[in-house]
Amino acid sequence: MKPANNKKLDQAFSAIRQEALKRRRVFQEAPVPKIHIGMATCGIASGALETKKAFEEALAERNVDARIHTVGCGGHCYAEPVVIIDHPDSGFPPIFYHQVNAGKAKMLVKLFLEEGDPRFEHVYGATQANDLIPSLMEFSRFNMEKRIVMEKCGYIDPEDIYDYIAEGGYSVLVKALQTNPDDIVQEIQNSGLRGRGGAGFSTGRKWALARQAAEKDKFVICNADEGDPGAYMDRTILESNPHQVIEGMIICAYAVGAHQAIVYVRAEYPLAVKLVAKAIRQAEELGLLGSAILGSTFDLDIDVFQGSGAFVCGEETALFRSIEGYRGMPRHRPPFPVEKGLWDRPTVINNVKTLASIPPILNNGADWYRNIGTENSSGTAIFSIVGNVVHPGLVEIPMGVSLRTLIFDICGGIPNNKKFKAVQIGGPSGGCLNEDFLDTPIDFDSLTEAGAMMGSGGMVVMDEDTCMVDVARYFLDFTQKESCGKCTFCRIGTHHLLKILNRLTKGEGREGDLELLEVLSADIKNGSLCGLGKTAPNPVLTSLLYFRDEYEAHISAKRCPALMCRALTAFYFDPDLCARGCDACATRCPVDAVFTTSNRKKGVDQELCVKCGECVVACPPEYDAVRKVSPPDLVPIVEKPPEKT
């Protein structure tokens, strides 16, 4: 494929770019306040729809002229609903407000937009450096990130293609269409970009193999089948900046010689599906997709395919089968997808984050990207940090940053003065690492060496109250249910692993169970065809390696050191702390297991107690009388008064 005519392309895109800049100027120069509201799934789940409605109603009621600008997620999910108010006439810089509910929205319209009082008690920070309000960049949660893929997330309206173009969007595509495809492939190879879907294979190498394929009918697929528990990186990018992913797909297709592309996204992501489909339509309307893109000789059609939610369909060959109309089950490789992929045609399949990395790499150059990260893992990594951490959400950091820096410096550490216990990296296929690994660099090779894996970017932080046996059981339960059943080792092996772990958490462990877990895990890893089976035992093996004493306690002492396994724990009231006549716990207990003793304090009927923990929540903090022990036979005997007849 030959590069397009420069003049023709430049003229076609220049008109689009000028229109985008014109719209941006009209919006920015309007002499009214601008209200930017995060409206991705995380924001909506926290009440952003109600917040937006409250702003609209308050503006109308008070006859205040302002512009509402909906944006995606900036990654600060702990702060949702997020609102940024730019009110130039107030004399203040744009202000970032967190957890803005409907009531706070109406208050800000009255007190800030109308009266000029920004309500400092609700201010999180200013988005620009100034002398009046601390800047967000003074906080480590903001200043320690390196945003490349997420640079525009939370800033532009994902439903407005002109918003993306005004920020430089699609300009890299114009340059790419004027460049020899071989040079593009070489630039991606030189950048050192590795697949962000989990495997970490060289993206440039994959493109080169697909380009060399003799078959002319080729496909490009964006793999957005994100199914890891606690992972939502791909969803957020598609909901916040779908056009950067589409631009990366078009460049990829041009480089490898493909004319058909598919975004494979799970149907459980309705907002992502809606926004991607809309972004594709908008790109087609402006001539950035379809026949003769921007007047060039290059054609590309992109379709959206909604997967049914099977975790195994994240594996590329199972994904192909799903698109082809069959049950998603992996197949043997070789041949590899770049030789025979979808419908036996050469296929490049890349993750959302991989494709979104293409425009900034080509815009800034391979050397620029190489200088970010480590020697063998260039660029940035995006993680969804969940669990026991102060500031959960999405974080984009340079490869090579340590786990300690990410968890404690960027995300604020462990809440409630609890101790760090473990971090599980790489989704259900990843490993659990203890505090000895906190100084491990975050890159493909270091994490693999530690027994975990980069995966697609899910990270679960756990505190001292976490039972590692139960954690292994939780992830095994997920992978066992998601196994497609094709491989005997995966289908039956994971079932037996889960059966043993269930017994352990119930205090029914036997001598030899730990050795059996290790043998079964090794067999499953060696005998499974795809990545699901080969990595399913990782949480078991790593938790066994680094927390073996917990497993042994479950077997030998029938005790859960973390006091989490219900069958191995019990609740009781400390008689020295329990207040006479207080019925807070009794009124909260759903099964009436709490009774009043002869001295008007409280006891627990262990036969009735379902160990829900409601008594802990109900007990006034000034008493803090509820205690939890393991094993249950350590509970002090408290005589229950006979029932009155």
Side-chain angles (χ1 to χ4, degrees):
M1 185 177 296
K2 295 181 180 179
N5 179 279
N6 291 12
K7 187 175 181 180
K8 192 175 181 181
L9 264 177
D10 289 338
Q11 287 178 342
F13 185 70
S14 178
I16 299 172
R17 169 83 168 158
Q18 291 304 313
E19 176 63 22
L21 293 175
K22 176 184 175 182
R23 295 185 181 207
R24 171 63 62 84
R25 281 194 303 272
V26 169
F27 176 78
Q28 291 182 336
E29 294 174 4
V32 297
K34 285 84 176 178
I35 305 170
H36 308 271
I37 306 175
M39 295 290 288
T41 293
C42 51
I44 292 172
S46 299
L49 287 174
E50 291 79 10
T51 299
K52 179 174 178 286
K53 182 179 180 182
F55 269 114
E56 292 170 340
E57 291 176 349
L59 292 172
E61 289 171 3
R62 309 194 73 83
N63 197 29
V64 174
D65 191 8
R67 301 285 186 273
I68 292 178
H69 182 230
T70 56
V71 298
C73 172
H76 301 278
C77 305
Y78 61 92
E80 296 287 0
V82 167
V83 172
I84 297 175
I85 298 182
D86 183 3
H87 187 9
D89 290 344
S90 68
F92 293 101
I95 298 175
F96 183 108
Y97 291 95
H98 66 300
Q99 297 173 352
V100 182
N101 56 27
K104 192 180 292 187
K106 292 185 177 182
M107 176 199 69
L108 289 172
V109 171
K110 178 182 182 296
L111 298 180
F112 186 27
L113 300 188
E114 202 170 24
E115 301 176 7
D117 179 2
R119 308 305 297 172
F120 288 109
E121 64 269 31
H122 299 293
V123 170
Y124 201 76
T127 62
Q128 298 173 2
N130 67 97
D131 297 326
L132 300 174
I133 301 174
S135 167
L136 293 173
M137 296 310 291
E138 296 178 26
F139 307 129
S140 58
R141 183 58 173 83
F142 291 79
N143 63 32
M144 297 187 74
E145 288 195 59
K146 175 69 176 178
R147 296 210 161 184
I148 294 176
V149 172
M150 292 183 60
E151 182 182 12
K152 299 177 181 66
C153 293
Y155 181 71
I156 65 170
D157 182 351
E159 298 194 60
D160 184 358
I161 189 172
Y162 287 109
D163 222 5
Y164 177 66
I165 293 173
E167 287 295 312
Y170 288 108
S171 59
V172 178
L173 170 63
V174 176
K175 296 176 184 176
L177 292 175
Q178 301 173 42
T179 306
N180 189 297
D182 289 318
D183 294 337
I184 295 175
V185 173
Q186 187 61 54
E187 188 77 356
I188 298 302
Q189 281 191 284
N190 293 343
S191 73
L193 175 65
R194 295 170 67 173
R196 274 16 185 196
F201 187 78
S202 166
T203 302
R205 176 66 177 154
K206 181 183 287 188
W207 288 18
L209 291 170
R211 176 154 181 78
Q212 293 164 10
E215 174 68 55
K216 291 184 178 180
D217 191 6
K218 303 175 184 178
F219 291 94
V220 166
I221 296 178
C222 172
N223 185 351
D225 188 61
E226 182 179 55
D228 301 12
Y232 50 92
M233 304 77 58
D234 296 348
R235 186 202 74 206
T236 300
I237 293 169
L238 291 177
E239 291 177 354
S240 305
N241 188 7
H243 285 287
Q244 187 162 320
V245 180
I246 292 171
E247 185 175 10
M249 289 183 73
I250 302 171
I251 294 170
C252 174
Y254 172 74
V256 303
H259 297 282
Q260 298 179 74
I262 297 172
V263 179
Y264 186 100
V265 57
R266 51 180 47 223
E268 292 95 331
Y269 287 176
L271 182 58
V273 171
K274 170 192 167 186
L275 294 179
V276 170
K278 185 170 184 177
I280 291 172
R281 290 197 304 271
Q282 290 178 339
E284 290 172 341
E285 290 168 1
L286 294 184
L288 297 164
L289 263 179
S291 301
I293 292 176
L294 292 174
S296 70
T297 59
F298 178 58
D299 307 328
L300 179 67
D301 292 317
I302 299 181
D303 295 312
V304 177
F305 186 95
Q306 297 184 51
S308 298
F311 179 65
V312 73
C313 286
E315 197 279 337
E316 51 194 22
T317 62
L319 184 151
F320 298 152
R321 297 287 290 171
S322 174
I323 295 176
E324 291 166 356
Y326 301 99
R327 181 181 176 187
M329 301 179 78
R331 67 188 188 205
H332 287 281
R333 295 181 298 178
F336 293 98
V338 290
E339 302 168 295
K340 284 191 174 183
L342 182 63
W343 287 300
D344 288 334
R345 302 292 193 273
T347 304
V348 171
I349 179 167
N350 285 138
N351 175 262
V352 169
K353 298 180 291 294
T354 309
L355 291 165
S357 299
I358 301 304
I361 289 175
L362 295 181
N363 187 50
N364 296 285
D367 292 340
W368 166 81
Y369 196 74
R370 272 282 189 189
N371 288 327
I372 302 169
T374 66
E375 183 178 355
N376 295 321
S377 298
S378 56
T380 59
I382 300 177
F383 285 97
S384 60
I385 317 295
V386 299
N388 305 124
V389 66
V390 173
H391 293 142
L394 286 190
V395 178
E396 184 172 6
I397 53 171
M399 291 278 195
V401 168
S402 71
L403 286 169
R404 185 186 304 277
T405 299
L406 176 57
I407 296 170
F408 288 91
D409 296 336
I410 299 177
C411 292
I414 314 302
N416 304 318
N417 296 316
K418 298 285 186 178
K419 293 181 180 178
F420 170 86
K421 185 169 189 176
V423 57
Q424 202 270 352
I425 310 172
S429 303
C432 301
L433 305 180
N434 63 14
E435 60 182 348
D436 294 339
F437 292 89
L438 281 174
D439 293 314
T440 302
I442 298 173
D443 61 62
F444 289 101
D445 303 324
S446 298
L447 291 178
T448 301
E449 185 178 341
M453 61 186 295
M454 179 75 73
S456 61
M459 185 178 293
V460 182
V461 180
M462 294 167 270
D463 67 14
E464 59 190 80
D465 294 333
T466 305
C467 173
M468 300 311 297
V469 180
D470 190 56
V471 167
R473 182 207 59 78
Y474 169 81
F475 283 110
L476 227 292
D477 179 66
F478 177 84
T479 50
Q480 193 271 328
K481 289 175 179 175
E482 293 294 338
S483 170
C484 74
K486 183 173 185 176
C487 304
T488 303
F489 286 96
C490 182
R491 181 180 70 251
I492 299 177
T494 55
H495 171 76
H496 285 295
L497 274 183
L498 182 59
K499 191 175 180 180
I500 295 170
L501 292 170
N502 278 326
R503 283 199 289 101
L504 292 179
T505 59
K506 294 176 182 178
E508 300 169 0
R510 310 163 188 161
E511 289 298 324
D513 274 350
L514 303 190
E515 291 73 20
L516 185 54
L517 284 174
E518 291 171 331
V519 171
L520 266 174
S521 294
D523 288 342
I524 294 167
K525 288 173 75 74
N526 293 329
S528 297
L529 173 61
C530 82
L532 186 150
K534 288 183 179 298
T535 59
N538 282 351
V540 180
L541 290 173
T542 52
S543 59
L544 255 177
L545 180 61
Y546 304 127
F547 302 94
R548 196 177 188 90
D549 57 330
E550 284 199 35
Y551 281 85
E552 292 172 344
H554 279 71
I555 295 175
S556 60
K558 311 301 180 186
R559 180 175 68 90
C560 176
L563 305 178
M564 286 302 295
C565 296
R566 285 196 178 191
L568 302 181
T569 58
F571 292 88
Y572 73 95
F573 295 95
D574 186 330
D576 295 329
L577 297 176
C578 186
R580 285 186 175 89
C582 175
D583 290 321
C585 54
T587 57
R588 189 76 170 260
C589 181
V591 292
D592 295 327
V594 177
F595 61 86
T596 302
T597 64
S598 57
N599 63 354
R600 295 177 58 210
K601 294 195 176 186
K602 293 295 181 283
V604 178
D605 187 329
Q606 299 298 331
E607 292 185 3
L608 293 177
C609 181
V610 293
K611 305 170 186 179
C612 62
E614 285 298 310
C615 54
V616 179
V617 178
C619 186
E622 59 266 30
Y623 302 140
D624 189 26
V626 185
R627 295 291 176 265
K628 196 175 182 182
V629 294
S630 181
D633 56 21
L634 293 179
V635 171
I637 297 175
V638 178
E639 187 174 342
K640 184 176 182 180
E643 295 183 6
K644 296 180 180 181
T645 57

